[in-house]
């Protein structure tokens, strides 16, 4: 999680460095509080600049949100695609590879997940459409992955795959939310935890099958 001092200095900071400070602070603010509750004034105060300077650098609040969203969405998509590529022999199962990719990508800026999955974006805005585009691309990857898993398990029902896709999205969001509240947990520790939970779930379900 990125935490900036309340005053990062107001003079003598190169514009590129200042923009990076703003984007880090804005990503955390949008992720923590949502688009609707986040203000340009709050972001400016965190970075130690004036609100007019913030508007000069990034334009409107929506423009600043998009400047935060686009790199997050691009990084997540690239990471998921790489994780879903044909694995080497002995590699972890696809779900664990994808989760590890998510945790690794978000490490240091965990709230960024909630910039992408923000329910407070103004309907029919450029921000909402762009976020929906990223979410749709991630859902498409999830749909392909879940369909493959179900096919391997002997299920060909497309509604099973659709239901599992939504469950997977909810699981990822819940895990990231838990992770935000446990900053001491590394991406590797989170991946290992998920592996243990998956194995426990498998054992529980198989035990239930034998008892019926």
């Amino acid at each position: 999680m990125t935490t900036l001092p309340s005053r990062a200095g107001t003079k003598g900071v190169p514009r590129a460095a200042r923009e990076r400070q703003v984007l880090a602070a804005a990503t955390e603010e949008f992720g923590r509080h949502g688009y609707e509750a986040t203000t340009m004034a709050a972001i400016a105060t965190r970075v130690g600049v004036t609100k007019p300077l913030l508007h000069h650098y990034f334009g409107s609040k929506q423009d600043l949100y998009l400047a935060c969203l686009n790199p997050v969405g691009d990084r997540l998509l690239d990471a998921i695609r790489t994780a879903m590529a044909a694995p080497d022999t002995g590699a972890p199962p696809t779900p664990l590879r994808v989760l590890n990719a998510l945790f690794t990508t978000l490490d240091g800026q965990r709230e960024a997940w909630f910039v992408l999955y923000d329910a407070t974006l103004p309907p029919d805005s450029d921000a909402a459409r762009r976020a929906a585009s990223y979410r749709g691309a991630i859902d498409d990857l999830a749909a392909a992955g879940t369909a493959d898993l179900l096919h391997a398990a002997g299920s060909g029902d497309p509604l099973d795959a659709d239901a599992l896709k939504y469950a997977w999205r909810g699981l990822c969001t819940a895990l990231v939310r838990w992770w935000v509240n446990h900053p001491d947990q590394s991406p590797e520790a989170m991946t290992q935890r998920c592996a243990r939970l998956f194995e426990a779930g498998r054992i529980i379900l198989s035990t239930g099958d034998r008892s019926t």
Side-chain angles (χ1 to χ4, degrees):
M1 180 172 63
T2 303
T3 301
L4 297 173
S6 60
R7 300 285 296 178
T10 56
K11 295 180 180 179
V13 178
R15 175 165 178 165
R18 180 68 79 201
E19 288 181 350
R20 288 193 295 270
Q21 291 175 338
V22 170
L23 289 173
T27 297
E28 189 168 331
E29 289 290 315
F30 285 128
R32 282 184 174 183
H33 307 296
Y35 182 91
E36 185 175 356
T38 296
T39 66
M40 296 289 273
I43 296 169
T45 298
R46 283 199 58 182
V47 181
V49 300
T50 64
K51 192 167 75 166
L53 182 64
L54 209 60
H55 284 291
H56 174 68
Y57 279 3
F58 289 97
S60 67
K61 181 170 113 171
Q62 178 172 246
D63 293 330
L64 178 54
Y65 168 84
L66 289 169
C68 296
L69 171 70
N70 289 330
V72 170
D74 289 342
R75 288 198 305 269
L76 285 170
L77 278 173
D78 287 345
I80 294 170
R81 289 185 180 116
T82 299
M84 292 182 65
D88 295 330
T89 302
T94 300
L96 284 178
R97 297 201 311 275
V98 170
L99 286 172
N100 180 256
L102 292 181
F103 297 140
T104 301
T105 302
L106 294 171
D107 195 31
Q109 205 172 44
R110 302 177 185 188
E111 292 86 355
W113 178 265
F114 302 102
V115 175
L116 183 59
Y117 290 90
D118 188 343
T120 72
L121 295 171
D124 299 323
S125 65
D126 288 342
R129 285 189 288 270
R130 186 60 176 161
S133 175
Y134 278 120
R135 293 195 302 268
I138 291 174
D139 279 351
D140 287 345
L141 292 171
T146 53
D148 288 344
L149 290 174
L150 288 172
H151 179 74
S155 173
D157 188 333
L159 290 180
D160 285 353
D162 189 58
L164 185 55
K165 177 189 73 176
Y166 280 90
W168 176 253
R169 181 201 295 172
L171 175 63
C172 291
T173 297
L175 287 169
V176 173
R177 193 178 300 281
W178 187 90
W179 191 35
V180 168
N181 293 326
H182 295 79
D184 59 313
Q185 297 292 295
S186 68
E188 293 75 18
M190 285 297 297
T191 304
Q192 292 167 8
R193 189 177 306 282
C194 290
R196 294 194 298 271
L197 293 174
F198 288 170
E199 179 62 16
R202 186 191 67 78
I203 293 172
I204 293 168
L205 290 173
S206 63
T207 301
D209 286 343
R210 288 196 296 269
S211 66
T212 56

CSV table of all heavy atoms in Angstrom, one decimal, residues 136-170:
chain,number,residue,atom,x,y,z
A,136,GLY,N,-14.8,-6.2,-18.7
A,136,GLY,CA,-15.3,-7.1,-19.7
A,136,GLY,C,-14.2,-8.0,-20.3
A,136,GLY,O,-14.3,-9.2,-20.5
A,137,ALA,N,-13.0,-7.4,-20.5
A,137,ALA,CA,-11.9,-8.1,-21.0
A,137,ALA,C,-11.4,-9.2,-20.0
A,137,ALA,O,-11.1,-10.3,-20.3
A,137,ALA,CB,-10.7,-7.2,-21.4
A,138,ILE,N,-11.4,-8.8,-18.7
A,138,ILE,CA,-11.0,-9.7,-17.7
A,138,ILE,C,-12.0,-10.8,-17.6
A,138,ILE,O,-11.7,-12.0,-17.4
A,138,ILE,CB,-10.8,-9.0,-16.3
A,138,ILE,CG1,-9.6,-8.1,-16.4
A,138,ILE,CG2,-10.7,-9.9,-15.2
A,138,ILE,CD1,-9.4,-7.2,-15.2
A,139,ASP,N,-13.3,-10.5,-17.7
A,139,ASP,CA,-14.4,-11.5,-17.6
A,139,ASP,C,-14.2,-12.5,-18.8
A,139,ASP,O,-14.5,-13.7,-18.6
A,139,ASP,CB,-15.7,-10.8,-17.7
A,139,ASP,CG,-16.2,-10.3,-16.3
A,139,ASP,OD1,-15.5,-10.6,-15.3
A,139,ASP,OD2,-17.2,-9.6,-16.3
A,140,ASP,N,-13.9,-12.0,-19.9
A,140,ASP,CA,-13.7,-12.9,-21.1
A,140,ASP,C,-12.6,-13.9,-20.8
A,140,ASP,O,-12.7,-15.1,-21.1
A,140,ASP,CB,-13.4,-12.1,-22.3
A,140,ASP,CG,-14.6,-11.3,-22.9
A,140,ASP,OD1,-15.7,-11.6,-22.5
A,140,ASP,OD2,-14.4,-10.4,-23.7
A,141,LEU,N,-11.5,-13.4,-20.2
A,141,LEU,CA,-10.4,-14.4,-19.9
A,141,LEU,C,-10.9,-15.3,-18.8
A,141,LEU,O,-10.6,-16.6,-18.9
A,141,LEU,CB,-9.2,-13.6,-19.4
A,141,LEU,CG,-8.5,-12.7,-20.4
A,141,LEU,CD1,-7.5,-11.8,-19.7
A,141,LEU,CD2,-7.8,-13.6,-21.4
A,142,ALA,N,-11.7,-14.8,-17.8
A,142,ALA,CA,-12.2,-15.7,-16.8
A,142,ALA,C,-13.1,-16.7,-17.4
A,142,ALA,O,-13.1,-17.9,-17.0
A,142,ALA,CB,-12.9,-14.9,-15.7
A,143,ALA,N,-14.0,-16.3,-18.3
A,143,ALA,CA,-14.9,-17.2,-18.9
A,143,ALA,C,-14.2,-18.4,-19.7
A,143,ALA,O,-14.6,-19.5,-19.6
A,143,ALA,CB,-15.8,-16.5,-19.9
A,144,ALA,N,-13.1,-18.0,-20.4
A,144,ALA,CA,-12.4,-19.0,-21.1
A,144,ALA,C,-11.7,-20.0,-20.1
A,144,ALA,O,-11.8,-21.2,-20.3
A,144,ALA,CB,-11.3,-18.4,-22.0
A,145,GLY,N,-11.2,-19.5,-19.1
A,145,GLY,CA,-10.5,-20.3,-18.1
A,145,GLY,C,-11.5,-21.2,-17.3
A,145,GLY,O,-11.2,-22.4,-17.2
A,146,THR,N,-12.6,-20.7,-16.9
A,146,THR,CA,-13.6,-21.5,-16.2
A,146,THR,C,-14.2,-22.6,-17.1
A,146,THR,O,-14.5,-23.7,-16.7
A,146,THR,CB,-14.7,-20.7,-15.6
A,146,THR,OG1,-15.3,-19.8,-16.6
A,146,THR,CG2,-14.1,-19.8,-14.5
A,147,ALA,N,-14.4,-22.2,-18.4
A,147,ALA,CA,-15.0,-23.2,-19.3
A,147,ALA,C,-14.0,-24.4,-19.5
A,147,ALA,O,-14.4,-25.5,-19.5
A,147,ALA,CB,-15.3,-22.6,-20.6
A,148,ASP,N,-12.7,-24.1,-19.6
A,148,ASP,CA,-11.7,-25.1,-19.7
A,148,ASP,C,-11.7,-26.0,-18.5
A,148,ASP,O,-11.6,-27.3,-18.6
A,148,ASP,CB,-10.3,-24.5,-19.9
A,148,ASP,CG,-10.2,-23.9,-21.3
A,148,ASP,OD1,-11.0,-24.2,-22.2
A,148,ASP,OD2,-9.2,-23.2,-21.5
A,149,LEU,N,-11.8,-25.4,-17.3
A,149,LEU,CA,-11.7,-26.2,-16.1
A,149,LEU,C,-13.0,-27.1,-16.0
A,149,LEU,O,-12.9,-28.3,-15.6
A,149,LEU,CB,-11.7,-25.3,-14.9
A,149,LEU,CG,-10.4,-24.5,-14.6
A,149,LEU,CD1,-10.5,-23.5,-13.5
A,149,LEU,CD2,-9.2,-25.4,-14.3
A,150,LEU,N,-14.1,-26.6,-16.3
A,150,LEU,CA,-15.4,-27.4,-16.2
A,150,LEU,C,-15.4,-28.5,-17.2
A,150,LEU,O,-15.8,-29.6,-17.0
A,150,LEU,CB,-16.6,-26.4,-16.4
A,150,LEU,CG,-16.9,-25.5,-15.2
A,150,LEU,CD1,-18.0,-24.5,-15.5
A,150,LEU,CD2,-17.3,-26.3,-13.9
A,151,HIS,N,-14.9,-28.2,-18.4
A,151,HIS,CA,-14.8,-29.2,-19.5
A,151,HIS,C,-13.9,-30.4,-19.0
A,151,HIS,O,-14.2,-31.5,-19.2
A,151,HIS,CB,-14.2,-28.6,-20.8
A,151,HIS,CG,-14.1,-29.6,-21.9
A,151,HIS,ND1,-15.2,-30.1,-22.6
A,151,HIS,CD2,-13.0,-30.2,-22.4
A,151,HIS,CE1,-14.8,-30.9,-23.5
A,151,HIS,NE2,-13.5,-31.0,-23.4
A,152,ALA,N,-12.8,-30.0,-18.4
A,152,ALA,CA,-11.9,-31.0,-17.9
A,152,ALA,C,-12.5,-31.9,-16.8
A,152,ALA,O,-12.2,-33.0,-16.6
A,152,ALA,CB,-10.6,-30.4,-17.3
A,153,ALA,N,-13.5,-31.2,-16.0
A,153,ALA,CA,-14.2,-31.9,-15.0
A,153,ALA,C,-15.5,-32.6,-15.5
A,153,ALA,O,-16.2,-33.3,-14.7
A,153,ALA,CB,-14.6,-30.9,-13.9
A,154,GLY,N,-15.7,-32.6,-16.8
A,154,GLY,CA,-16.9,-33.3,-17.3
A,154,GLY,C,-18.1,-32.5,-17.4
A,154,GLY,O,-19.2,-33.1,-17.8
A,155,SER,N,-18.1,-31.2,-17.2
A,155,SER,CA,-19.3,-30.3,-17.3
A,155,SER,C,-19.2,-29.5,-18.6
A,155,SER,O,-18.3,-28.8,-18.8
A,155,SER,CB,-19.4,-29.4,-16.1
A,155,SER,OG,-20.5,-28.5,-16.3
A,156,GLY,N,-20.3,-29.7,-19.4
A,156,GLY,CA,-20.4,-28.9,-20.6
A,156,GLY,C,-21.5,-27.9,-20.6
A,156,GLY,O,-21.8,-27.3,-21.7
A,157,ASP,N,-22.1,-27.6,-19.5
A,157,ASP,CA,-23.2,-26.7,-19.4
A,157,ASP,C,-22.7,-25.3,-19.4
A,157,ASP,O,-21.9,-24.9,-18.5
A,157,ASP,CB,-24.0,-26.9,-18.1
A,157,ASP,CG,-25.3,-26.1,-18.0
A,157,ASP,OD1,-25.4,-25.1,-18.6
A,157,ASP,OD2,-26.2,-26.6,-17.3
A,158,PRO,N,-23.0,-24.4,-20.4
A,158,PRO,CA,-22.5,-23.1,-20.5
A,158,PRO,C,-22.9,-22.2,-19.3
A,158,PRO,O,-22.2,-21.3,-18.9
A,158,PRO,CB,-23.1,-22.5,-21.8
A,158,PRO,CG,-24.2,-23.4,-22.1
A,158,PRO,CD,-23.9,-24.8,-21.5
A,159,LEU,N,-24.1,-22.5,-18.7
A,159,LEU,CA,-24.5,-21.8,-17.5
A,159,LEU,C,-23.7,-22.1,-16.3
A,159,LEU,O,-23.5,-21.2,-15.4
A,159,LEU,CB,-26.0,-22.1,-17.2
A,159,LEU,CG,-27.0,-21.5,-18.2
A,159,LEU,CD1,-28.4,-21.8,-17.7
A,159,LEU,CD2,-26.9,-20.0,-18.3
A,160,ASP,N,-23.1,-23.3,-16.2
A,160,ASP,CA,-22.1,-23.6,-15.2
A,160,ASP,C,-20.9,-22.7,-15.3
A,160,ASP,O,-20.4,-22.1,-14.3
A,160,ASP,CB,-21.7,-25.0,-15.2
A,160,ASP,CG,-22.7,-26.0,-14.7
A,160,ASP,OD1,-23.8,-25.6,-14.2
A,160,ASP,OD2,-22.5,-27.2,-14.9
A,161,ALA,N,-20.4,-22.5,-16.5
A,161,ALA,CA,-19.3,-21.7,-16.8
A,161,ALA,C,-19.6,-20.2,-16.4
A,161,ALA,O,-18.8,-19.5,-15.9
A,161,ALA,CB,-18.8,-21.8,-18.2
A,162,ASP,N,-20.8,-19.8,-16.8
A,162,ASP,CA,-21.1,-18.4,-16.5
A,162,ASP,C,-21.2,-18.1,-15.0
A,162,ASP,O,-20.8,-17.1,-14.5
A,162,ASP,CB,-22.5,-18.1,-17.2
A,162,ASP,CG,-22.8,-16.6,-17.2
A,162,ASP,OD1,-22.0,-15.8,-17.7
A,162,ASP,OD2,-23.8,-16.2,-16.6
A,163,ALA,N,-21.9,-19.1,-14.3
A,163,ALA,CA,-22.0,-18.9,-12.9
A,163,ALA,C,-20.6,-18.9,-12.2
A,163,ALA,O,-20.3,-18.1,-11.3
A,163,ALA,CB,-22.8,-20.0,-12.3
A,164,LEU,N,-19.7,-19.8,-12.7
A,164,LEU,CA,-18.4,-19.9,-12.1
A,164,LEU,C,-17.6,-18.6,-12.4
A,164,LEU,O,-16.8,-18.2,-11.5
A,164,LEU,CB,-17.6,-21.1,-12.6
A,164,LEU,CG,-16.3,-21.4,-12.0
A,164,LEU,CD1,-16.4,-21.5,-10.5
A,164,LEU,CD2,-15.7,-22.7,-12.6
A,165,LYS,N,-17.8,-18.0,-13.5
A,165,LYS,CA,-17.1,-16.8,-13.9
A,165,LYS,C,-17.5,-15.7,-12.9
A,165,LYS,O,-16.6,-15.0,-12.3
A,165,LYS,CB,-17.5,-16.3,-15.3
A,165,LYS,CG,-16.9,-15.0,-15.7
A,165,LYS,CD,-17.5,-14.5,-17.0
A,165,LYS,CE,-18.9,-14.0,-16.8
A,165,LYS,NZ,-19.5,-13.4,-18.1
A,166,TYR,N,-18.7,-15.6,-12.5
A,166,TYR,CA,-19.2,-14.5,-11.6
A,166,TYR,C,-18.6,-14.9,-10.2
A,166,TYR,O,-18.2,-14.0,-9.4
A,166,TYR,CB,-20.7,-14.4,-11.5
A,166,TYR,CG,-21.2,-13.6,-12.7
A,166,TYR,CD1,-21.6,-14.2,-13.9
A,166,TYR,CD2,-21.4,-12.2,-12.5
A,166,TYR,CE1,-22.0,-13.4,-14.9
A,166,TYR,CE2,-21.8,-11.4,-13.6
A,166,TYR,CZ,-22.2,-12.0,-14.8
A,166,TYR,OH,-22.6,-11.3,-15.8
A,167,ALA,N,-18.6,-16.1,-9.8
A,167,ALA,CA,-18.1,-16.6,-8.5
A,167,ALA,C,-16.6,-16.2,-8.4
A,167,ALA,O,-16.1,-15.8,-7.4
A,167,ALA,CB,-18.4,-18.0,-8.3
A,168,TRP,N,-15.9,-16.4,-9.5
A,168,TRP,CA,-14.5,-16.2,-9.5
A,168,TRP,C,-14.2,-14.7,-9.3
A,168,TRP,O,-13.3,-14.3,-8.6
A,168,TRP,CB,-13.9,-16.7,-10.8
A,168,TRP,CG,-12.4,-16.4,-11.0
A,168,TRP,CD1,-11.9,-15.4,-11.8
A,168,TRP,CD2,-11.3,-17.0,-10.3
A,168,TRP,NE1,-10.5,-15.4,-11.7
A,168,TRP,CE2,-10.1,-16.4,-10.8
A,168,TRP,CE3,-11.2,-18.0,-9.4
A,168,TRP,CZ2,-8.9,-16.7,-10.3
A,168,TRP,CZ3,-10.0,-18.4,-8.9
A,168,TRP,CH2,-8.8,-17.8,-9.4
A,169,ARG,N,-15.0,-13.8,-10.0
A,169,ARG,CA,-14.8,-12.4,-9.8
A,169,ARG,C,-15.0,-12.0,-8.4
A,169,ARG,O,-14.2,-11.2,-7.8
A,169,ARG,CB,-15.8,-11.6,-10.7
A,169,ARG,CG,-15.6,-10.1,-10.6
A,169,ARG,CD,-16.9,-9.4,-11.1
A,169,ARG,NE,-17.1,-9.6,-12.5
A,169,ARG,CZ,-18.3,-9.1,-13.1
A,169,ARG,NH1,-19.2,-8.5,-12.3
A,169,ARG,NH2,-18.5,-9.3,-14.4
A,170,GLY,N,-16.1,-12.5,-7.8
A,170,GLY,CA,-16.3,-12.2,-6.4
A,170,GLY,C,-15.3,-12.7,-5.5
A,170,GLY,O,-14.9,-12.0,-4.5
